[in-house]
Amino acid sequence: MPADQQTDAPAKARAVAALADVPREPGAKKPDPILVVDKVVRRFGGLTAVNVGHVEIQRGAITALIGPNGAGKTTFFNLLTGFDKPDEGNWAFNGQPLQGVAAHKVARRGMVRTFQLTKSLNRLSVIDNMRLGATGQRGENFWRALIPGLWKKQEQDVTERADELLARFKLDAKREDFAGSLSGGQRKLLEMARALMVNPEMVMLDEPMAGVNPALTQSLLGHVKGLRELGMTVLFVEHDMDMVRDISDWVIVMGQGEVIAEGTPDEVMADQRVIDAYLGAHHDGAADPDADPAADTAGPAAPAAPAAGEPAGPTAGATAPKPAKEDGQ
Amino acid sequence: MNWDVIFSVSLESLIGLSTIVYALAAIGLNVHFGYTGLLNFGQSAFLGVAAYGMAITVTTFGQPFWLGILVGLGGVVVLALLLGIPTLRLRADYLAIVTIAAAEIVRLLFRSVTLSEWTGGSDGLQQFSQSFYDMNPYSSPIETTLISFSTRELWVLTVGWVLVAIALLIVWLLMRSPWGRVIKAIREDEDAVRSLGKNVFSYKIQALILGGVLGSLGGFVFALGLAAIQPDTYGTEFTFYMYTIVILGGAARVFGPVVGSMIFWFLLTFINALLPSLISVGAIPSSIMTTNQAGAVGYILVGIGLMLLLIFRPQGIFGDKKEVMLDAR
């Protein structure tokens, strides 16, 4: 699936071209932002989990949000999608302010998320999981639900669309099974397919590849790229740097709740600030005191950083051999 | 041994007043617990408020019967809103705590001396059912060798089973509609439902009101069938029997509560009739059990029976074992 991206992927080419002239710095202005975030702060007691000054997400591109564990990526996701409320700050989706908007209304406006821990609705069938995603269903009103004639036709249309998506995600054989009987990877696929039932403009994927076996990973990657070709904007959190490199047009790096770097995948992975954030500022034992602001913030929390060394992606991924494997496929 | 008496009371209990009352209450509770996943431990309060709303209107204030029914239903809706608005935004267990406390508050209010001018205190209220029995179309009782019902009983049973049928029809229609799909999805994972653009809070309130209103029908039938109400009927054990019945029949199954109620009351009546007569003919020596103890032993035996059933058939009578096992994950 990923092999023919260059030829059949006009959206990728467009996204790459649009982002070519964007300055490589935190909070860089994008030519056509779908989401603009300003000064969003979330504190848990004395801990400032998220403190994002300014971030813009380019429309029609795949943007990766990376950073060590505890960098505030998921909290940032929760804030943007209305699942958590920030202490201060504002953000706009398609030019409309989103702060204080309830989670379900955020979804209705076209920004739909998935979860790090997959939330399949276990005791519902796969097809019912899908049908649930459709918006504006007449039969979801209490009184109209009592009269099947009012919603049967719409239900057929919804089911048809659900079946098409299931076929695209190769889950059609599981149509009548309980979602709880699917494997972990299949649930990830189901969750993504279900999110598409909402007809979103922007899809927010929280660690879409976590716990998915390598064979299914390729298929998931293909689907994420497919979203961009369908005109959707994708923002995703991921730890696996090979995947970030493979599919993202732009990478935003968070550390200690702040955005510390932005750029294309290769540039970001070579960035000293990013390496510092993952491995601790003094990993080479010789960081100069007047380095850069990120090194200062990384300093006090140095004990936390080694835990973040686990997804040792940025340095490992930055070396040449691994990407070659994927180009070959 | 009066086998014919034992069998006739058991058969009568199969379709009797208690079976109807508990079936209606459990149908409502099934909407809360079985379908929506709301841990309502105060279902008895919904029945109590309905019964008292009717009785106070008719007996204390001398208003018409139908107005009493409306007041009862209105009281149930108000109670659902009072319980739901503060707690349904919180985690599921908060509702359990609040509802069990609210049910006790309601019961203690009904029996308080201060309010006895209106509620009759611990004696309760009588003489509110005349209009109901005036509508009785039956002129002759049923008297066969197996069962016998007076005309009053026949009228209560007729109305009761019609109400059961209506309640089942409503639940059946709703739970196969998109509305029911949202409700069941909320039981599985409400954040997932929120992320798909559904107003979870509103659906939970709707489910709480629906289950309360369906259960309150049992409160009306109970009060009218006995032609009297007493506050201590509406204690917590009332709710626990309802839970037993819901689980016995199979949670989230349309006919579960009705069949559960029939089995529960048949067994209880049968054993409570069997034991005393076994003692009186000397089959059980009084050194083991006296007639005074037979009632308590009856409950013990029914309890053991239910435990065995749930060990060997955890999904209840109608449940799907595969579905219940998914829950264990």
Side-chain angles (χ1 to χ4, degrees), chain A residues 143-329:
Chain A
W143 300 108
R144 283 193 289 245
L146 289 166
I147 307 163
L150 294 178
W151 47 263
K152 267 276 151 37
K153 175 75 183 66
Q154 191 187 28
E155 182 85 346
Q156 279 169 12
D157 298 344
V158 166
T159 306
E160 232 169 76
R161 201 152 66 82
D163 277 327
E164 281 167 24
L165 274 169
L166 281 182
R168 184 166 15 128
F169 281 79
K170 299 204 170 53
L171 286 170
D172 39 351
K174 301 277 180 188
R175 191 180 191 271
E176 303 299 336
D177 293 5
F178 284 124
S181 71
L182 299 182
S183 72
Q186 286 169 330
R187 287 187 212 193
K188 287 271 183 200
L189 283 172
L190 175 61
E191 198 183 22
M192 200 185 292
R194 193 178 62 196
L196 297 186
M197 284 297 291
V198 186
N199 273 333
E201 268 186 83
M202 180 166 179
V203 185
M204 318 268 285
L205 306 170
D206 196 351
E207 299 206 23
M209 315 295 171
V212 178
N213 75 56
L216 211 50
T217 301
Q218 284 308 316
S219 147
L220 260 167
L221 283 178
H223 287 303
V224 175
K225 290 177 188 169
L227 301 184
R228 177 178 52 194
E229 300 308 322
L230 291 170
M232 281 174 244
T233 309
V234 179
L235 177 66
F236 74 106
V237 170
E238 188 53 63
H239 278 303
D240 189 319
M241 292 303 155
D242 287 337
M243 278 155 215
V244 170
R245 181 194 299 275
D246 185 9
I247 66 172
S248 52
D249 306 313
W250 192 257
V251 178
I252 296 171
V253 189
M254 283 184 78
Q256 309 280 319
E258 297 176 23
V259 174
I260 57 173
E262 283 194 42
T264 62
D266 288 325
E267 291 161 354
V268 156
M269 284 169 203
D271 191 312
Q272 189 60 39
R273 288 169 299 188
V274 177
I275 297 167
D276 287 348
Y278 269 90
L279 300 178
H282 306 290
H283 59 93
D284 55 356
D288 41 343
D290 56 26
D292 51 55
D296 292 342
T297 53
E310 235 177 74
T315 42
T319 55
K322 276 198 172 170
K325 171 194 73 182
E326 266 151 38
D327 291 343
Q329 283 176 346

Side-chain angles (χ1 to χ4, degrees), chain B residues 15-296:
Chain B
I15 55 165
L17 179 65
S18 296
T19 301
I20 293 171
V21 171
Y22 280 80
L24 284 166
I27 290 170
L29 189 63
N30 196 28
V31 170
H32 293 153
F33 169 73
Y35 288 107
T36 324
L38 300 174
L39 282 175
N40 170 20
F41 277 103
Q43 183 73 341
S44 62
F46 285 102
L47 279 82
V49 165
Y52 267 88
M54 173 183 69
I56 290 175
T57 310
V58 175
T59 307
T60 311
F61 294 101
Q63 297 299 310
F65 170 73
W66 289 109
L67 183 67
I69 297 282
L70 283 182
V71 169
L73 288 174
V76 166
V77 173
V78 170
L79 178 67
L81 293 174
L82 274 178
L83 291 178
I85 288 173
T87 54
L88 287 181
R89 288 182 200 277
L90 304 172
R91 257 188 6 235
D93 31 1
Y94 288 96
L95 184 74
I97 297 166
V98 170
T99 47
I100 201 167
E104 279 299 277
I105 291 171
V106 165
R107 183 178 68 85
L108 292 172
L109 278 178
F110 287 154
R111 62 169 297 148
S112 75
V113 179
T114 326
L115 297 177
S116 61
E117 190 185 333
W118 298 283
T119 61
S122 55
D123 292 337
L125 292 168
Q126 299 81 32
Q127 293 165 346
F128 49 80
S129 52
Q130 197 50 50
S131 315
F132 174 74
Y133 287 109
D134 284 347
M135 289 183 271
N136 188 352
Y138 294 103
S139 49
S140 57
I142 290 186
E143 308 235 2
T144 68
T145 46
L146 220 48
I147 50 169
S148 62
F149 289 115
S150 70
T151 53
R152 277 168 73 96
E153 284 172 322
L154 279 176
W155 177 227
V156 173
L157 295 189
T158 308
V159 172
W161 282 106
V162 167
L163 289 176
V164 169
I166 292 172
L168 288 181
L169 180 69
I170 290 173
V171 171
W172 179 74
L173 278 173
L174 282 173
M175 291 310 161
R176 60 201 283 276
S177 78
W179 187 88
R181 188 162 62 219
V182 178
I183 287 295
K184 285 180 266 185
I186 288 171
R187 172 189 71 200
E188 298 301 308
D189 192 315
E190 56 178 85
D191 272 345
V193 179
R194 213 169 267 134
S195 79
L196 296 171
K198 320 290 177 199
N199 187 349
V200 169
F201 178 70
S202 159
Y203 279 101
K204 289 207 299 196
I205 286 277
Q206 290 172 36
L208 195 62
I209 293 175
L210 172 68
V213 167
L214 292 179
S216 75
L217 300 178
F220 292 128
V221 174
F222 203 15
L224 293 170
L226 299 177
I229 52 173
Q230 271 192 314
D232 292 331
T233 323
Y234 304 97
T236 45
E237 74 276 9
F238 197 8
T239 305
F240 294 144
Y241 288 151
M242 295 174 206
Y243 265 97
T244 309
I245 285 166
V246 168
I247 295 166
L248 174 64
R253 290 289 179 274
V254 172
F255 284 100
V258 178
V259 174
S261 185
M262 290 170 90
I263 293 173
F264 182 82
W265 283 106
F266 178 81
L267 285 180
L268 200 60
T269 314
F270 178 71
I271 289 176
N272 281 339
L274 181 67
L275 287 179
S277 69
L278 284 178
I279 294 167
S280 65
V281 298
I284 299 176
S286 57
S287 56
I288 293 178
M289 197 196 307
T290 64
T291 32
N292 293 337
Q293 296 164 327

